[in-house]
Amino acid sequence: MTSLNEFYGFQQAPFTKSVAAKDLYPSRGHREAQGRLAFALQDRSAALLTGDVGTGKSTAARALAQALDRNVSAVVYLPNPHLGISALYREILLALQVEPAFGFMRLLPQLRTTLQDLARKGRYVLLVVDEAHLLSPELLTQWRFLLN
């Protein structure tokens, strides 16, 4: 018996839950989403993507992240917003290839220093928090401090 993939000549199963960024159809909505993210990255400002479930927000963000020059941009992709503050800072530092300090009181200064060092080197940081609407009010307050 021939599988559907073999019958239709697919290289991988279609309609999976997560579309590979390279296979993203560049619809008007996805191009707009990527443009907004690219502008925020260039402007060094925050951006927010909203849309219905399944419209491809995460895929559009991943596609932009994969297209960036890693010599100029550092990408931090956080798929799980259910983190405490310490875990959040640790995840960001690890994604930036920095060994996190031990103890909460050292993490925030270490993260700020790391971000400032990258900025001095002319590198941008794209921080994507998937499902950010699930962030706790406490974490949102920390984001505000971090973005300042």
Side-chain angles (χ1 to χ4, degrees):
M1 178 178 237
T2 305
S3 73
L4 286 176
N5 287 354
E6 291 172 328
F7 181 80
Y8 287 105
F10 294 141
Q11 300 294 322
Q12 61 191 38
F15 312 114
T16 59
K17 187 175 182 176
S18 180
V19 176
K22 67 178 179 52
D23 296 329
L24 177 66
Y25 172 73
S27 70
R28 190 175 124 225
H30 281 108
R31 286 192 313 268
E32 181 180 339
Q34 289 177 319
R36 287 176 185 227
L37 291 173
F39 177 79
L41 184 62
Q42 180 182 1
D43 196 42
R44 295 184 183 193
S45 62
L48 175 67
L49 287 182
T50 61
D52 291 332
V53 173
T55 57
K57 299 174 299 291
S58 300
T59 304
R62 283 195 325 272
L64 173 71
Q66 288 178 3
L68 294 174
D69 180 353
R70 295 305 168 112
N71 294 319
V72 177
S73 302
V75 177
V76 177
Y77 184 81
L78 300 175
N80 178 12
H82 297 290
L83 299 170
I85 296 169
S86 294
L88 173 73
Y89 291 164
R90 292 179 64 75
E91 288 296 317
I92 294 171
L93 286 164
L94 286 170
L96 294 173
Q97 299 177 351
V98 174
E99 182 64 34
F102 183 76
F104 176 74
M105 297 305 289
R106 293 184 181 153
L107 284 172
L108 182 56
Q110 182 187 27
L111 181 56
R112 282 193 178 132
T113 300
T114 300
L115 294 173
Q116 289 168 349
D117 289 347
L118 288 169
R120 269 194 294 279
K121 294 175 184 173
R123 294 192 67 205
Y124 299 100
V125 176
L126 173 63
L127 176 58
V128 178
V129 181
D130 213 344
E131 303 295 336
H133 64 283
L134 298 174
L135 288 170
S136 68
E138 183 177 274
L139 277 180
L140 288 172
T141 300
Q142 288 300 312
W143 281 122
R144 184 173 56 87
F145 292 145
L146 192 57
L147 290 172
N148 286 341

